[in-house]
Structure formats: structure tokens, C-alpha cells
Amino acid sequence: MFLQKAKPFIYLGVFYLIISLVIRVIFLFHPITTVNFGIFEIIKILLLGMVNDIFVFIPASSFLVLYFLFLSDSKYKNPYGQIILGALTLLFLYILVIPNNIFRQYGGSVTKIVLIFVGIKMFFFGLMFFLPSKRIRIRNILYFIIILLYVLSIVFNSVSEYFFYNEFGVRYNFIAVDYLIYTNEVIGNIMESYPVAPLFIAIFVVTGSITWLIFRKTKNELLTLPDLKQKFALLSIYIVTVGISFIILPAIGKIRSSNVFANEVQANGIPKFYWAFTHNELDYFQFYSQIGQKQADELFLSQYPEQAVMRKIVSGQPEIKKNVVLISIESLSADFMEHYGNTRKVTPFLDSLASQSLMFTNLYATGNRTVRGLEALTLCIPPTAGESIIKRDNNKNKFTTGSVFKSKGYDVKFLYGGYSYFDNMEDFFGGNGYDIVDRNNFRPEEITFANVWGVADEDMAKKAIQVMNAEAKSGKPFFNHWMTVSNHRPFTYPDGRIDIPGNAKSRDGGVKYTDYSIRKFFEMAKKQDWYKNTVFVIIADHCASSAGKTELPADKYRIPAMIFSEGLIQPQKFDKLMSQIDVMPTLFGILNFNYTSKFLGQDVFKREFRPKAYIATYQDLGLIKDKHLTIISPVRKIKQYLLTPEKSKLAPEFNIYYTEKLLKNPDQILVNETISAYQSTSYWLKNNQLNR
């Protein structure tokens, strides 16, 4: 009886295993998987993946179990049928008519969802109650819909996992959770980036075909329904298998390789998504290695002369009250620029500007998302475990670059071509004293082109000039932080601006168009009276991709940065290792600002500066120092790699790429420095010691 009644689960399960196997094989040979696997390693990955899939499918089939559990002919007999139909009708009217029903207390769309569900249930129950001769046919229709939804979920999830891996080189993580929240931007991005019509046609053809096959093979199981005793036996077996699944899945998750790609390919995206959804912020003190708090603070603060969180920065030279424009560029990896060996000439203006600027040639982004870059440039602190501070509740009244400028009498603004509610930017910048100029401030005639991420960068450049002209008239200096948007998938922009068509959806096109837009901005700025009294800081927010063979591939965090100001900045290159969090303290040093600092970045021209860089994902926290990369991870894991530079043939003066060799015996001094940086930063944030 068990095997007979389990036929729908077996067919669905086999289909799920097949499609999961196909996805894994695709991932194994995907261009982003930059590692070669041996035959035995491939077999191991596929076997572990299949075990993963089996024990994920079992609890995932719980809705189908509930559907079969409530299938019954006896519930339509008198008086049960009248009682159930009456109860459903009363519940429907209660939700529809009573304004303060219990479901409204949950807010959002809960009431509508429950009303629709109860309404559908009431409608079909009524049909099967009043039309017993049509009961089998109606039940078959409902069963077909249930199977269709399951098959569609399997197919759609597989397609989603493919595109997510294609973009980020990993299975679902925190970014996937973000995508679920910001559906407008994400759906728009998909619509503009991929051939949606053929894709959805293929999805529905496959879904329809598989659903029909499973339906035809299993519909006879609905002709004879199990009695209550048989249902109890089947349910007991299912509960036991679910319990086994919850034991096996964590155990399988602990079987990990030193190769990140192997771990991602053998994993299953559904548990990873659930984990990311429930662990959006990580408690450092629960998951990471620690040393004594006093020891951690003293070790970390030893790099500053005053050895304190709050420090007085005294220049000894007259302060320079120039305007400051900070342009953080979306996804601009260092190797897009000719200065780092790129031969495709996609950044002609930025390359020319770099030759006239103070160029930081050995600088690393703190993370792999825009909010991490904005955090580094605004708060000037190492990244912390979990989400960026920008996206946390306790994100206001922090000590920021904006607060330093405000203390000097500057107007402070954040400029963004999209809607700044995205990624919580509006809440963060508004809560830290920035005025915000975003897409809401554009009149229709000011927008020549826009995609889902916002107005084209050249439109934002024109708006920025208007804003700065208005600020200059006030007689006060201004600080404006402009975040670009065009160098982001789908990489669409107006035609006729560059030699790559605007609908080519090419990353090189996105980079080159942003470069074009920044050139237009400077051409307009040079015509303004405030131009020669302005310092321009141009820096990437993060690299275009962070996928690699290890948890934190160092070369995927290298970004370009420069400071330009006619008459103030002499062209030069700063080649020492530095972090994104050092840029703004260095700028304040150039401007001879006297201020009380809580920044954890350093002025790289000070004698006490220690070359180092912090790089991180949501979980893995790294320190690059002394040709080593030390990584601390949950749960209290520590790894250390020896970084051996690889010379670029096209730009041999820059060591852009590294070979990372895992060390069996980590340097404990560097391990303690890594722990102290992240432990102390987390502790000070937790205790609001980095607030204004």
C-alpha cells in the first residue's frame, strides 16, 4: 500500500533529482567555476548533492502530504458536509465583513491571502458536496493543479539558481533574500537582462509536459482513498522520514571541501536560502573566534597614536575648505582600467584622469555589494559579520564622513539615480544628516533614459551639476556623494554615446558608458565657477565579480581609486596596500582638517599608517597584511593563505592577481590581529561607541 500511495511523491522526487543533477553538471562546467575537478571529486560532489536533494525533497513535499491527508469521501456525507461547508462560509463572511478580524492584526496582504484561500476552498467544497457525480473529475482538476504547482516550483527554482550562480558564482545567500524583498528592481532587472519570452515559454512547456506525465501515471491513486487508520500509518512513516532528514541535512552540510566551488555545487539552494533568510545579521560573539576584549581593543588600537577609539586629529597646517565630490562607481573592478593592464579601452576618461591624480594602485574594497562600499566610504570602519550597517535597524546617528563635513559648515548630500529606498539607503543617509537627491527629484523632461536601477548616469551627472550650482550660490562649501547605477546588469543605456550599442547588454558597455557619463560630468563641471575650488574622489564600490577558488579571492576585491583637484593634488601613485576605509581619512588629511575622529581607517600619509586591507563576505572576514590573507568564519574557523603575486604581462608594475596557498600553521600574530579588528569593531558598534 505504501509504495502505491507514494507514487506521486516518487515521480516528483525522481524529477527533482534529475533536474538537480542537470543543474549540478552545468555548474561543474560553468565558465565561472574556475577550477578543474578530478573524476573522483566529481562523483563525490554528485553523490553528496543527490543525498542533499533527497533529504530536502522529503520535508519540501509536506504540502502534498497535507493535500492527500485531507482527501476523503466521508466528509461530504451528512451531516459532516453541511457542517464543514457552513463553517467555511461563516469563516469567509467573518474575514470579508468584520473590519477588525484576527487576520487584520498581521497587517500587509495577510487578510486578502486568507480570504482568497478560504473562498477557493469553500467554492470547490461546495461543488463536490452538491455535485457528487462530478466529484472525481473536480478532484482530478485540483490534483493536476497541485502537481503543476510543485513541478513549476522545481523548474522555476532551478532556473533561478542557474541565473543566481551565473551572476554571483554561489548558491542562494543573503543577496537572494534581498532579491525577494526588492521584487520591483529584481523582476525589472530580469526583464531587461534576459530573453524573458523564450525563457518562460520553455519553463511552461517543460512544466506542462512533466505535470501531464505525472498526472497520467498517478491519477488512479485518487480513485480509492485510504481510510483513517491507513492515513495514520502513512503519516507516521512520513514524520519519521522528515525527522531523519533534519538529522541528515546538517550532517551533510558539515562535509565540506577546501574548494569553495565544490561546496557550492554539492549544496542545495533551498536550505541555503532558508539559512540566509533567518541569519540576516550574525552575532560576532556567538559565531567567531575571540580573544579577551581588553586584549583585542589594545591590539587593534595600537596602530593609532592616541590608542583610543575617539582621537583628536590635528594637522598643524591651515584647513583647506574646498568643495568635495565623492563619486562611487558601481562594480568597477581595477582590471577594467588600462592602468591595470586592460586593453579593451573601456575607461578612456578615467585612465586619463588617473594620470593627473593621486592614484591608489593597491586598494581593496571591503565587500562585494554596493552597501558595503557605501558603508566603508561613509563610516570608515571594517566590515562586520552579516548585513551591512546600512541595512540594519541601528544605523542612525553614526560618526560619518558627512558628520565631519557638517562640523566644518558644509552642505552634505547623497545623490543616487535610482530610488534610494532600495537597500535602505534613504533610511541610512537620511538618518545620518545627509540630504538626499534621487529619482524622486527628477522631472520627466530631465530623464533621457532609465532602466530598472534608475536614470542613466549622464542624466544624474546633469542633475548633480544643477545641485552643485545651487549649493555654490549659498556661499557654503559642499560635500556631495554620488553613487552611479549604469554599470549594472542589464547594462542598458542611451544609444549613440559610445561605440557599443545601448541594447547590447554588455558589461564592457556598462563600464564604458559610465566612463562616458563621468567625462560629461567633468566637462560640465569645468565650466562652473566652483570647479577649481573642488576636490574629486573617484572610487569603485566593489568589483564586478567576487567568485573565486577560495572564500575570499583577494584579486576579486582590487578596485581603482583616485583623488583629483587642479592646483592642489600633484599627479602621483600610492602603491602601498590600503583599504577602502582609508580613503576618506586620507582626504581629510590632505585638506588639513582638525577634528575628533572615530574612524577606524587611517590617513595613509601619516607615519603611523600600517599597510593592510579588510575584505569580507557576509560570513567570511579577512585581513590582508604582510603577504598573508587571514580569514575568520563561523563557527570559530580560521584559515590563512600565503599570497604570491602574479605579474600582469600587460601591466607588470602592478601585482593584480594572486596565488593563494593555504597554510597548515597560520601565523598567530596575524590571526590575533584579524580577530582583534573584527571583534573590537563589532563590540564598539554593539555598544554605540562609534556613534556621533
Side-chain angles (χ1 to χ4, degrees):
M1 180 196 66
F2 174 76
L3 287 177
Q4 186 179 7
K5 296 303 178 185
K7 280 176 67 176
F9 299 90
I10 293 171
Y11 275 96
L12 277 172
V14 169
F15 171 64
Y16 179 62
L17 293 179
I18 290 172
I19 203 165
S20 296
L21 174 64
V22 171
I23 287 294
R24 277 198 180 84
V25 171
I26 291 172
F27 287 172
L28 282 170
F29 298 100
H30 194 285
I32 207 169
T33 309
T34 55
V35 64
N36 295 318
F37 298 106
I39 184 65
F40 292 109
E41 193 171 10
I42 290 175
I43 293 171
K44 177 187 174 184
I45 289 170
L46 295 180
L47 286 175
L48 285 173
M50 183 176 69
V51 174
N52 238 328
D53 297 335
I54 290 171
F55 289 104
V56 165
F57 178 77
I58 290 171
S61 60
S62 57
F63 293 104
L64 189 59
V65 170
L66 288 174
Y67 169 77
F68 278 107
L69 186 65
F70 286 98
L71 283 181
S72 170
D73 285 322
S74 60
K75 65 183 178 183
Y76 298 105
K77 296 178 181 178
N78 296 329
Y80 306 114
Q82 291 96 326
I83 293 172
I84 294 172
L85 183 59
L88 288 170
T89 304
L90 288 174
L91 180 59
F92 181 81
L93 292 173
Y94 166 74
I95 300 169
L96 182 66
V97 175
I98 304 300
N100 295 317
N101 66 71
I102 191 172
F103 299 105
R104 293 188 188 276
Q105 297 178 17
Y106 293 94
S109 303
V110 173
T111 303
K112 291 181 180 178
I113 292 170
V114 175
L115 185 68
I116 292 170
F117 176 79
V118 174
I120 292 172
K121 186 70 179 174
M122 180 183 68
F123 174 75
F124 280 104
F125 188 92
L127 284 179
M128 297 177 79
F129 177 74
F130 291 113
L131 301 172
S133 62
K134 304 291 185 182
R135 193 171 295 162
I136 295 296
R137 186 174 182 181
I138 296 170
R139 186 176 287 154
N140 282 342
I141 292 172
L142 292 175
Y143 175 61
F144 182 87
I145 293 172
I146 293 292
I147 297 297
L148 176 71
L149 291 174
Y150 257 92
V151 174
L152 180 62
S153 298
I154 292 170
V155 174
F156 199 81
N157 175 68
S158 300
V159 173
S160 299
E161 284 209 70
Y162 168 77
F163 284 123
F164 194 83
Y165 191 89
N166 188 56
E167 182 81 11
F168 298 105
V170 295
R171 297 270 189 171
Y172 294 142
N173 59 16
F174 286 116
I175 302 173
V177 177
D178 283 352
Y179 278 12
L180 184 67
I181 296 170
Y182 297 107
T183 51
N184 181 55
E185 281 80 1
V186 175
I187 292 173
N189 187 25
I190 293 170
M191 296 288 288
E192 296 180 12
S193 300
Y194 300 105
V196 174
L199 179 64
F200 275 88
I201 289 171
I203 288 173
F204 288 124
V205 167
V206 171
T207 299
S209 302
I210 298 298
T211 301
W212 182 250
L213 174 65
I214 295 175
F215 174 75
R216 289 291 300 271
K217 294 288 185 179
T218 61
K219 67 176 183 176
N220 290 337
E221 305 310 317
L222 274 67
L223 297 175
T224 56
L225 302 177
D227 57 30
L228 189 61
K229 183 178 179 181
Q230 291 171 326
K231 284 182 179 180
F232 181 78
L234 292 169
L235 182 61
S236 299
I237 294 171
Y238 178 72
I239 290 172
V240 170
T241 58
V242 169
I244 294 171
S245 298
F246 288 146
I247 295 171
I248 296 294
L249 283 172
I252 290 290
K254 292 178 182 177
I255 304 175
R256 298 179 66 81
S257 165
S258 59
N259 187 305
V260 174
F261 283 116
N263 294 329
E264 292 296 332
V265 174
Q266 76 189 29
N268 185 288
I270 296 173
K272 291 201 70 178
F273 184 89
Y274 175 78
W275 194 94
F277 189 82
T278 55
H279 295 78
N280 218 19
E281 186 174 329
L282 293 175
D283 183 350
Y284 180 92
F285 300 95
Q286 181 179 355
F287 292 102
Y288 291 83
S289 298
Q290 299 174 54
I291 56 179
Q293 191 60 50
K294 184 178 179 181
Q295 179 190 357
D297 292 351
E298 289 178 351
L299 181 56
F300 185 71
L301 293 173
S302 66
Q303 63 190 301
Y304 309 108
E306 294 185 31
Q307 298 186 12
V309 176
M310 184 181 291
R311 307 173 305 281
K312 288 188 179 297
I313 308 297
V314 180
S315 167
Q317 299 290 328
E319 291 190 342
I320 302 172
K321 292 286 187 71
K322 284 184 176 287
N323 308 308
V324 176
V325 176
L326 168 61
I327 305 174
S328 46
I329 302 175
E330 173 69 43
S331 305
L332 187 71
S333 303
D335 56 10
F336 282 129
M337 293 185 64
E338 189 173 5
H339 272 271
Y340 294 90
N342 190 296
T343 59
R344 299 192 300 274
K345 299 187 182 303
V346 291
T347 58
F349 176 73
L350 288 176
D351 277 307
S352 67
L353 192 67
S355 300
Q356 307 169 56
S357 306
L358 164 59
M359 184 181 182
F360 302 107
T361 64
N362 199 11
L363 186 147
Y364 290 79
T366 58
N368 50 19
R369 292 217 56 204
T370 296
V371 283
R372 277 297 187 203
L374 295 176
E375 174 190 87
L377 294 168
T378 305
L379 301 179
C380 306
I381 63 174
T384 49
E387 266 291 6
S388 163
I389 292 165
I390 289 175
K391 302 188 71 174
R392 299 182 191 178
D393 292 333
N394 183 24
N395 67 358
K396 299 174 182 64
N397 300 313
K398 301 297 182 187
F399 185 80
T400 66
T401 53
S403 64
V404 174
F405 280 114
K406 278 210 162 186
S407 72
K408 301 295 180 183
Y410 280 66
D411 280 331
V412 174
K413 287 186 174 64
F414 175 67
L415 286 66
Y416 181 65
Y419 296 110
S420 58
Y421 78 86
F422 181 73
D423 266 347
N424 213 39
M425 290 183 283
E426 182 178 30
D427 185 61
F428 172 75
F429 284 103
N432 284 289
Y434 287 69
D435 294 325
I436 295 173
V437 177
D438 67 1
R439 188 167 178 173
N440 289 308
N441 298 94
F442 280 78
R443 299 190 303 273
E445 62 270 19
E446 293 179 315
I447 303 174
T448 61
F449 184 91
N451 63 21
V452 67
W453 294 110
V455 303
D457 283 346
E458 65 179 294
D459 290 338
M460 188 68 247
K462 294 173 186 175
K463 173 63 75 173
I465 295 295
Q466 292 177 16
V467 169
M468 293 169 198
N469 285 343
E471 288 174 315
K473 290 177 182 177
S474 72
K476 295 171 63 178
F478 58 78
F479 167 62
N480 288 329
H481 183 169
W482 168 23
M483 179 69 225
T484 73
V485 300
S486 291
N487 183 31
H488 194 296
R489 194 178 299 276
F491 309 116
T492 54
Y493 43 85
D495 275 324
R497 272 56 168 186
I498 59 173
D499 56 3
I500 301 174
N503 59 358
K505 298 181 180 179
S506 152
R507 184 178 287 279
D508 276 2
V511 173
K512 196 166 188 176
Y513 174 71
T514 293
D515 180 84
Y516 163 87
S517 300
I518 295 173
R519 176 170 67 83
K520 286 293 182 183
F521 169 77
F522 272 88
E523 288 175 353
M524 290 184 286
K526 284 182 179 180
K527 299 175 183 178
Q528 314 306 321
D529 293 338
W530 48 262
Y531 171 74
K532 290 188 177 180
N533 192 41
T534 302
V535 179
F536 300 90
V537 183
I538 299 97
I539 185 171
D541 62 344
H542 59 84
C543 282
S545 170
S546 60
K549 298 178 183 179
T550 59
E551 297 92 336
L552 296 173
D555 50 11
K556 296 299 180 73
Y557 285 79
R558 186 81 161 269
I559 57 171
M562 65 194 80
I563 299 177
F564 170 81
S565 181
E566 287 187 14
L568 176 66
I569 303 294
Q570 296 301 313
Q572 58 182 299
K573 292 178 181 178
F574 184 86
D575 297 328
K576 291 182 181 178
L577 174 66
M578 63 182 289
S579 171
Q580 202 173 23
I581 72 172
D582 298 322
V583 173
M584 296 309 287
T586 300
L587 173 70
F588 291 139
I590 291 171
L591 296 176
N592 299 326
F593 275 10
N594 301 309
Y595 63 104
T596 300
S597 176
K598 290 187 178 180
F599 295 140
L600 303 181
Q602 290 184 284
D603 180 347
V604 300
F605 293 112
K606 294 292 186 183
R607 183 178 57 188
E608 62 270 12
F609 171 68
R610 296 181 185 178
K612 63 191 174 303
Y614 304 101
I615 62 175
T617 61
Y618 291 100
Q619 300 178 51
D620 301 309
L621 310 173
L623 171 68
I624 303 175
K625 187 179 180 183
D626 298 338
K627 298 182 180 179
H628 288 75
L629 168 60
T630 308
I631 302 172
I632 56 176
S633 309
V635 180
R636 297 175 178 81
K637 294 178 182 176
I638 297 171
K639 287 185 179 181
Q640 194 172 83
Y641 295 88
L642 177 65
L643 301 180
T644 304
E646 294 181 2
K647 295 283 187 182
S648 167
K649 293 180 180 178
L650 297 171
E653 67 272 25
F654 295 132
N655 298 321
I656 302 178
Y657 304 106
Y658 290 100
T659 299
E660 299 183 3
K661 180 183 178 182
L662 181 64
L663 299 177
K664 292 182 179 179
N665 300 305
D667 182 325
Q668 193 59 43
I669 294 176
L670 289 174
V671 169
N672 286 346
E673 284 195 42
T674 305
I675 293 172
S676 72
Y678 291 109
Q679 180 178 329
S680 294
T681 303
S682 300
Y683 180 80
W684 296 329
L685 281 168
K686 187 176 182 180
N687 291 280
N688 296 320
Q689 289 178 251
L690 299 178
N691 284 14
R692 292 201 296 268

